[in-house]
Amino acid sequence: MATKDRLILVCNDDGIFAKGIQALIEVASDFGKVEVIAPDRQQSAVGHSITIMDPLRATRFELKNGMVGTAVNGTPADCVKLAHDQLLDRKPDLVLSGINHGSNAGINLIYSGTVSAATEGTILGYPSVAVSCTDFDENADMSGCQEAAAKAIQFIFNNGLPKGITLNINAPSGPLKGLKWTRQGDSKYVDEYEPRVDPHSRPYYWMTGRFQVLDHGEELDINVLKEGYGSITPIQYDLTAHKVFGEMSKMEL
Ligand code: MN
C-alpha cells in the first residue's frame, strides 16, 4: 500500500498535549496519514480501564505543526474504541500508542495505559504498537525511541503481525544502540507507599515504590534496557496460562 493511502491512528496515555505524542506523530507521518485521538489529560497507569457510566466527549484541538487532533475525556482504551466505532472515517492500517514518558517494561506493562491503547487496537483487529521511553524527563531525547518505532512499523508493513499479538517497545533516551527481541521480565514494586499526615491529623498515603527485578535470564526487556539497547516484546491479551493449562485441565476438581 502506498504511504499516502495508509491511515495511522496515534494515541497515548500522557494526554494529547504531552511531548511524547508529538515524537510519535513525527514517526507516523513518514508512513501514512495520521489521525491523533488521545486522552484530554494525564491517564498514566489506568491500565485497560474503560468508561461505562459517563458520556464520552471528543473535542478537536489544533496541535503543533498544523496538525489537528481529537481529545477525549476518557482512558486510552476508550480513545481507541471510540476512534474505531465513531471518530475515524475508515479503519486504520496501524495503531500506535506513545511515546510514553517512562518505562513500560517488566510489570509496568500490566498497569500501563500506553500499552492498553495498543492492546485495544489489537483486540479490534489492527496491527498495533506501544512505544515508551525509559526516561521520565519531559524533555528527554526520544530520537532512539523514534528510530525503534520506525523499525517496528516497517517490520509490520513487511511481515504483518500474528492475530492477537501487540508489539511493546521500550528504549532509553538518546540515540538507539540497537533493538532486540525480548520477553517481559518478572519484576515488582516494593516499599510502595509513604505514609504521611494531613493538616487535620488524618493519615494519607502517597505512592512511591522501588522497582525490583525478579528475573535474571537473558532476552528480558528489563535487562536489555539496562545494557542500553531498545527492547521489542510481542505481547498478547489472551491471559490464559497456556504453559500450565494442559496439565491443570486434566486434574480432578
Ligand atoms: Mn504515561
Side-chain angles (χ1 to χ4, degrees):
M1 185 187 276
T3 300
K4 65 174 177 46
D5 298 326
R6 286 196 197 113
L7 179 63
I8 302 176
L9 171 63
V10 175
C11 187
N12 75 346
D13 79 352
D14 295 323
I16 198 163
F17 300 112
K19 288 200 172 167
I21 200 167
Q22 281 298 331
L24 195 53
I25 292 167
E26 278 175 30
V27 180
S29 303
D30 290 338
F31 291 91
K33 181 178 178 290
V34 178
E35 271 288 344
V36 183
I37 299 175
D40 64 358
R41 68 200 77 179
Q42 176 54 253
Q43 291 279 351
S44 289
V46 301
H48 211 108
S49 160
I50 53 170
T51 303
I52 294 172
M53 301 303 281
D54 295 301
L56 288 176
R57 296 183 196 276
T59 312
R60 299 285 276 172
F61 273 106
E62 226 169 277
L63 303 172
K64 280 184 188 158
N65 313 323
M67 286 278 307
V68 175
T70 304
V72 176
N73 63 333
T75 67
D78 283 332
C79 290
V80 176
K81 286 166 77 71
L82 195 63
H84 156 84
D85 195 70
Q86 296 287 326
L87 303 179
L88 293 177
D89 298 334
R90 65 176 180 87
K91 305 302 175 202
D93 300 291
L94 182 70
V95 176
L96 300 176
S97 179
I99 295 175
N100 188 57
H101 295 275
S103 167
N104 277 313
I107 198 65
N108 292 320
L109 251 142
I110 203 148
Y111 304 112
S112 170
T114 304
V115 171
S116 289
T119 305
E120 188 59 45
T122 305
I123 293 169
L124 295 170
Y126 309 123
S128 302
V129 185
V131 188
S132 304
C133 181
T134 56
D135 193 337
F136 273 105
D137 190 333
E138 198 200 11
N139 296 310
D141 170 5
M142 290 193 169
S143 59
C145 301
Q146 287 178 304
E147 196 183 329
K151 279 178 189 284
I153 296 168
Q154 196 54 61
F155 174 88
I156 287 174
F157 288 140
N158 292 343
N159 305 290
L161 273 183
K163 189 179 177 299
I165 301 299
T166 310
L167 294 181
N168 182 41
I169 292 177
N170 285 276
S173 54
L176 189 69
K177 192 171 160 185
L179 184 61
K180 295 189 174 183
W181 288 107
T182 56
R183 291 180 294 116
Q184 180 186 2
D186 195 11
S187 50
K188 68 173 180 183
Y189 281 93
V190 292
D191 304 329
E192 284 204 275
Y193 293 92
E194 188 179 305
R196 295 182 182 183
V197 179
D198 78 8
H200 307 287
S201 306
R202 289 174 306 207
Y204 67 99
Y205 307 90
W206 206 301
M207 200 179 152
T208 59
R210 278 184 301 114
F211 188 70
Q212 192 178 57
V213 174
L214 302 169
D215 205 342
H216 295 283
E218 283 182 14
E219 297 183 331
L220 298 180
D221 52 5
I222 36 191
N223 292 341
V224 156
L225 289 164
K226 225 183 275 170
E227 291 161 10
Y229 291 94
S231 153
I232 179 164
T233 311
I235 60 170
Q236 60 186 9
Y237 57 81
D238 173 1
L239 299 179
T240 310
H242 291 284
K243 253 196 282 187
V244 298
F245 180 79
E247 208 159 312
M248 284 193 85
S249 60
K250 286 188 209 104
M251 292 164 78
E252 186 112 19
L253 291 170

